Amino acid sequence: MRLRFMLFLYNGSSSLYAKVFKRTKKAWGLSVDDFLNYPDDSLGYAVGEFYRAKGFDIMPKLENHDVYHVITGTDTKIHDEVAMQYLLMGNGKRSLYMYAMVLIGTLIYPEFIRYYLFSYQKGKSFYPFYNIEFKNYLSHSLLEVQAFLTQKLKYQTK
C-alpha cells in the first residue's frame, strides 16, 4: 500500500516538477540510442545502459536526475529515490520538492533511516554536482567524471 502511494506521488510529481520548476530548462533532446552511441566508457553510454537496463523512458528536462543515479550508483527502487534526495541534500541542493520527498519518504519508510543518513553523508563527500549540466560531459569517461566528483574526499583528508 505504501509503495503504491509513493509511486503515485513520485510519478505524478515528476512531470509537475518538470513543468513548474524546470520550465526554463531545455530538454536534452536525446534518445536512448543517442546515449548508446557514445563511446563505451563514457558517461553518455553509461546513461544509455541505465535507461536500457531499467526499461525507462527519458523524462525531458529531468535527464540530470538519471545521471545522478549513474554517477552515484544509487538504485531506483522507491526507497532509493528517497535516498537520492538525501544524497542531493547532502550535496547542497535546496528545493521544495527535495524537502517534500525527504519528509514524506522518511515518514513512510522509516526503516531505511540509516541508509538515508548514509546517503546524506555520501552527498556531502562529493564535490557539489547538483547544479552541473551533465549534458556537457556525456562524452567524458564515466570513471573520470566520478573521480572528479569524489576528489573532495582526497583534499579533505590531506
PDB file of all heavy atoms in Angstrom, residues 24-43:
ATOM      1  N   THR A  24      12.111  26.733 -17.611  1.00  0.00           N
ATOM      2  CA  THR A  24      13.047  27.426 -18.490  1.00  0.00           C
ATOM      3  C   THR A  24      14.206  26.525 -18.933  1.00  0.00           C
ATOM      4  O   THR A  24      14.995  26.922 -19.785  1.00  0.00           O
ATOM      5  CB  THR A  24      13.615  28.677 -17.795  1.00  0.00           C
ATOM      6  OG1 THR A  24      14.311  28.278 -16.610  1.00  0.00           O
ATOM      7  CG2 THR A  24      12.510  29.660 -17.456  1.00  0.00           C
ATOM      8  N   LYS A  25      14.300  25.329 -18.362  1.00  0.00           N
ATOM      9  CA  LYS A  25      15.374  24.396 -18.719  1.00  0.00           C
ATOM     10  C   LYS A  25      15.038  23.720 -20.045  1.00  0.00           C
ATOM     11  O   LYS A  25      13.892  23.386 -20.303  1.00  0.00           O
ATOM     12  CB  LYS A  25      15.528  23.349 -17.620  1.00  0.00           C
ATOM     13  CG  LYS A  25      16.684  22.401 -17.834  1.00  0.00           C
ATOM     14  CD  LYS A  25      16.783  21.480 -16.640  1.00  0.00           C
ATOM     15  CE  LYS A  25      17.819  20.445 -16.618  1.00  0.00           C
ATOM     16  NZ  LYS A  25      18.729  20.160 -17.566  1.00  0.00           N
ATOM     17  N   LYS A  26      16.045  23.522 -20.864  1.00  0.00           N
ATOM     18  CA  LYS A  26      15.852  22.830 -22.141  1.00  0.00           C
ATOM     19  C   LYS A  26      16.057  21.333 -21.953  1.00  0.00           C
ATOM     20  O   LYS A  26      17.005  20.906 -21.286  1.00  0.00           O
ATOM     21  CB  LYS A  26      16.865  23.326 -23.178  1.00  0.00           C
ATOM     22  CG  LYS A  26      16.498  24.626 -23.830  1.00  0.00           C
ATOM     23  CD  LYS A  26      17.499  24.939 -24.907  1.00  0.00           C
ATOM     24  CE  LYS A  26      16.759  25.310 -26.165  1.00  0.00           C
ATOM     25  NZ  LYS A  26      17.655  25.593 -27.262  1.00  0.00           N
ATOM     26  N   ALA A  27      15.172  20.562 -22.553  1.00  0.00           N
ATOM     27  CA  ALA A  27      15.361  19.111 -22.582  1.00  0.00           C
ATOM     28  C   ALA A  27      16.581  18.808 -23.448  1.00  0.00           C
ATOM     29  O   ALA A  27      16.925  19.573 -24.353  1.00  0.00           O
ATOM     30  CB  ALA A  27      14.123  18.429 -23.141  1.00  0.00           C
ATOM     31  N   TRP A  28      17.234  17.718 -23.172  1.00  0.00           N
ATOM     32  CA  TRP A  28      18.435  17.378 -23.922  1.00  0.00           C
ATOM     33  C   TRP A  28      18.130  16.947 -25.340  1.00  0.00           C
ATOM     34  O   TRP A  28      18.993  17.039 -26.216  1.00  0.00           O
ATOM     35  CB  TRP A  28      19.207  16.273 -23.203  1.00  0.00           C
ATOM     36  CG  TRP A  28      19.820  16.712 -21.899  1.00  0.00           C
ATOM     37  CD1 TRP A  28      19.693  17.938 -21.287  1.00  0.00           C
ATOM     38  CD2 TRP A  28      20.644  15.934 -21.053  1.00  0.00           C
ATOM     39  NE1 TRP A  28      20.392  17.955 -20.112  1.00  0.00           N
ATOM     40  CE2 TRP A  28      20.994  16.728 -19.936  1.00  0.00           C
ATOM     41  CE3 TRP A  28      21.122  14.637 -21.111  1.00  0.00           C
ATOM     42  CZ2 TRP A  28      21.798  16.268 -18.903  1.00  0.00           C
ATOM     43  CZ3 TRP A  28      21.917  14.179 -20.079  1.00  0.00           C
ATOM     44  CH2 TRP A  28      22.260  14.986 -18.989  1.00  0.00           C
ATOM     45  N   GLY A  29      16.955  16.414 -25.580  1.00  0.00           N
ATOM     46  CA  GLY A  29      16.581  16.014 -26.926  1.00  0.00           C
ATOM     47  C   GLY A  29      17.306  14.782 -27.426  1.00  0.00           C
ATOM     48  O   GLY A  29      17.496  14.619 -28.630  1.00  0.00           O
ATOM     49  N   LEU A  30      17.703  13.922 -26.519  1.00  0.00           N
ATOM     50  CA  LEU A  30      18.423  12.707 -26.888  1.00  0.00           C
ATOM     51  C   LEU A  30      17.545  11.486 -26.657  1.00  0.00           C
ATOM     52  O   LEU A  30      16.740  11.460 -25.725  1.00  0.00           O
ATOM     53  CB  LEU A  30      19.701  12.570 -26.055  1.00  0.00           C
ATOM     54  CG  LEU A  30      20.737  13.685 -26.214  1.00  0.00           C
ATOM     55  CD1 LEU A  30      21.872  13.495 -25.213  1.00  0.00           C
ATOM     56  CD2 LEU A  30      21.285  13.700 -27.629  1.00  0.00           C
ATOM     57  N   SER A  31      17.742  10.479 -27.474  1.00  0.00           N
ATOM     58  CA  SER A  31      17.046   9.204 -27.306  1.00  0.00           C
ATOM     59  C   SER A  31      17.993   8.223 -26.612  1.00  0.00           C
ATOM     60  O   SER A  31      19.197   8.478 -26.498  1.00  0.00           O
ATOM     61  CB  SER A  31      16.632   8.647 -28.668  1.00  0.00           C
ATOM     62  OG  SER A  31      17.788   8.255 -29.398  1.00  0.00           O
ATOM     63  N   VAL A  32      17.452   7.099 -26.211  1.00  0.00           N
ATOM     64  CA  VAL A  32      18.291   6.061 -25.609  1.00  0.00           C
ATOM     65  C   VAL A  32      19.373   5.647 -26.598  1.00  0.00           C
ATOM     66  O   VAL A  32      20.541   5.480 -26.232  1.00  0.00           O
ATOM     67  CB  VAL A  32      17.436   4.848 -25.167  1.00  0.00           C
ATOM     68  CG1 VAL A  32      18.324   3.704 -24.702  1.00  0.00           C
ATOM     69  CG2 VAL A  32      16.462   5.257 -24.060  1.00  0.00           C
ATOM     70  N   ASP A  33      19.015   5.507 -27.869  1.00  0.00           N
ATOM     71  CA  ASP A  33      20.009   5.139 -28.887  1.00  0.00           C
ATOM     72  C   ASP A  33      21.102   6.200 -29.017  1.00  0.00           C
ATOM     73  O   ASP A  33      22.269   5.863 -29.227  1.00  0.00           O
ATOM     74  CB  ASP A  33      19.344   4.902 -30.240  1.00  0.00           C
ATOM     75  CG  ASP A  33      18.540   3.609 -30.269  1.00  0.00           C
ATOM     76  OD1 ASP A  33      18.831   2.702 -29.462  1.00  0.00           O
ATOM     77  OD2 ASP A  33      17.621   3.513 -31.105  1.00  0.00           O
ATOM     78  N   ASP A  34      20.734   7.479 -28.891  1.00  0.00           N
ATOM     79  CA  ASP A  34      21.744   8.540 -28.933  1.00  0.00           C
ATOM     80  C   ASP A  34      22.751   8.356 -27.805  1.00  0.00           C
ATOM     81  O   ASP A  34      23.960   8.489 -28.007  1.00  0.00           O
ATOM     82  CB  ASP A  34      21.094   9.923 -28.811  1.00  0.00           C
ATOM     83  CG  ASP A  34      20.265  10.304 -30.014  1.00  0.00           C
ATOM     84  OD1 ASP A  34      20.562   9.826 -31.135  1.00  0.00           O
ATOM     85  OD2 ASP A  34      19.305  11.092 -29.841  1.00  0.00           O
ATOM     86  N   PHE A  35      22.258   8.050 -26.618  1.00  0.00           N
ATOM     87  CA  PHE A  35      23.162   7.814 -25.483  1.00  0.00           C
ATOM     88  C   PHE A  35      24.059   6.613 -25.754  1.00  0.00           C
ATOM     89  O   PHE A  35      25.257   6.642 -25.474  1.00  0.00           O
ATOM     90  CB  PHE A  35      22.368   7.579 -24.194  1.00  0.00           C
ATOM     91  CG  PHE A  35      21.797   8.826 -23.573  1.00  0.00           C
ATOM     92  CD1 PHE A  35      20.432   9.063 -23.600  1.00  0.00           C
ATOM     93  CD2 PHE A  35      22.606   9.756 -22.951  1.00  0.00           C
ATOM     94  CE1 PHE A  35      19.887  10.198 -23.026  1.00  0.00           C
ATOM     95  CE2 PHE A  35      22.084  10.899 -22.369  1.00  0.00           C
ATOM     96  CZ  PHE A  35      20.723  11.121 -22.405  1.00  0.00           C
ATOM     97  N   LEU A  36      23.482   5.572 -26.314  1.00  0.00           N
ATOM     98  CA  LEU A  36      24.250   4.350 -26.554  1.00  0.00           C
ATOM     99  C   LEU A  36      25.254   4.500 -27.692  1.00  0.00           C
ATOM    100  O   LEU A  36      26.115   3.631 -27.867  1.00  0.00           O
ATOM    101  CB  LEU A  36      23.295   3.181 -26.825  1.00  0.00           C
ATOM    102  CG  LEU A  36      22.460   2.755 -25.617  1.00  0.00           C
ATOM    103  CD1 LEU A  36      21.392   1.744 -26.028  1.00  0.00           C
ATOM    104  CD2 LEU A  36      23.345   2.198 -24.508  1.00  0.00           C
ATOM    105  N   ASN A  37      25.188   5.584 -28.437  1.00  0.00           N
ATOM    106  CA  ASN A  37      26.173   5.842 -29.486  1.00  0.00           C
ATOM    107  C   ASN A  37      27.434   6.528 -28.964  1.00  0.00           C
ATOM    108  O   ASN A  37      28.392   6.694 -29.702  1.00  0.00           O
ATOM    109  CB  ASN A  37      25.550   6.681 -30.611  1.00  0.00           C
ATOM    110  CG  ASN A  37      24.668   5.835 -31.504  1.00  0.00           C
ATOM    111  OD1 ASN A  37      24.952   4.668 -31.743  1.00  0.00           O
ATOM    112  ND2 ASN A  37      23.591   6.422 -31.987  1.00  0.00           N
ATOM    113  N   TYR A  38      27.433   6.911 -27.702  1.00  0.00           N
ATOM    114  CA  TYR A  38      28.649   7.463 -27.098  1.00  0.00           C
ATOM    115  C   TYR A  38      29.657   6.339 -26.907  1.00  0.00           C
ATOM    116  O   TYR A  38      29.281   5.149 -26.879  1.00  0.00           O
ATOM    117  CB  TYR A  38      28.325   8.114 -25.750  1.00  0.00           C
ATOM    118  CG  TYR A  38      27.768   9.514 -25.882  1.00  0.00           C
ATOM    119  CD1 TYR A  38      26.397   9.741 -25.963  1.00  0.00           C
ATOM    120  CD2 TYR A  38      28.611  10.619 -25.930  1.00  0.00           C
ATOM    121  CE1 TYR A  38      25.885  11.027 -26.094  1.00  0.00           C
ATOM    122  CE2 TYR A  38      28.120  11.909 -26.063  1.00  0.00           C
ATOM    123  CZ  TYR A  38      26.759  12.103 -26.141  1.00  0.00           C
ATOM    124  OH  TYR A  38      26.264  13.370 -26.270  1.00  0.00           O
ATOM    125  N   PRO A  39      30.943   6.672 -26.755  1.00  0.00           N
ATOM    126  CA  PRO A  39      31.950   5.615 -26.516  1.00  0.00           C
ATOM    127  C   PRO A  39      31.602   4.761 -25.296  1.00  0.00           C
ATOM    128  O   PRO A  39      31.009   5.248 -24.330  1.00  0.00           O
ATOM    129  CB  PRO A  39      33.238   6.416 -26.277  1.00  0.00           C
ATOM    130  CG  PRO A  39      33.012   7.717 -26.973  1.00  0.00           C
ATOM    131  CD  PRO A  39      31.545   8.002 -26.843  1.00  0.00           C
ATOM    132  N   ASP A  40      31.999   3.499 -25.356  1.00  0.00           N
ATOM    133  CA  ASP A  40      31.628   2.527 -24.323  1.00  0.00           C
ATOM    134  C   ASP A  40      31.983   2.938 -22.900  1.00  0.00           C
ATOM    135  O   ASP A  40      31.288   2.561 -21.967  1.00  0.00           O
ATOM    136  CB  ASP A  40      32.277   1.166 -24.614  1.00  0.00           C
ATOM    137  CG  ASP A  40      31.654   0.487 -25.815  1.00  0.00           C
ATOM    138  OD1 ASP A  40      30.662   1.002 -26.362  1.00  0.00           O
ATOM    139  OD2 ASP A  40      32.173  -0.578 -26.212  1.00  0.00           O
ATOM    140  N   ASP A  41      33.059   3.669 -22.707  1.00  0.00           N
ATOM    141  CA  ASP A  41      33.480   4.026 -21.345  1.00  0.00           C
ATOM    142  C   ASP A  41      32.962   5.397 -20.910  1.00  0.00           C
ATOM    143  O   ASP A  41      33.304   5.879 -19.841  1.00  0.00           O
ATOM    144  CB  ASP A  41      35.005   3.997 -21.232  1.00  0.00           C
ATOM    145  CG  ASP A  41      35.685   5.095 -22.038  1.00  0.00           C
ATOM    146  OD1 ASP A  41      35.080   5.628 -22.997  1.00  0.00           O
ATOM    147  OD2 ASP A  41      36.836   5.437 -21.695  1.00  0.00           O
ATOM    148  N   SER A  42      32.099   5.998 -21.716  1.00  0.00           N
ATOM    149  CA  SER A  42      31.666   7.372 -21.443  1.00  0.00           C
ATOM    150  C   SER A  42      30.454   7.440 -20.514  1.00  0.00           C
ATOM    151  O   SER A  42      29.704   6.475 -20.352  1.00  0.00           O
ATOM    152  CB  SER A  42      31.315   8.079 -22.759  1.00  0.00           C
ATOM    153  OG  SER A  42      30.135   7.515 -23.310  1.00  0.00           O
ATOM    154  N   LEU A  43      30.272   8.606 -19.946  1.00  0.00           N
ATOM    155  CA  LEU A  43      29.095   8.882 -19.133  1.00  0.00           C
ATOM    156  C   LEU A  43      27.832   8.715 -19.972  1.00  0.00           C
ATOM    157  O   LEU A  43      26.859   8.109 -19.521  1.00  0.00           O
ATOM    158  CB  LEU A  43      29.173  10.305 -18.564  1.00  0.00           C
ATOM    159  CG  LEU A  43      27.940  10.791 -17.796  1.00  0.00           C
ATOM    160  CD1 LEU A  43      27.655   9.920 -16.592  1.00  0.00           C
ATOM    161  CD2 LEU A  43      28.133  12.254 -17.383  1.00  0.00           C
TER     162      LEU A  43
END
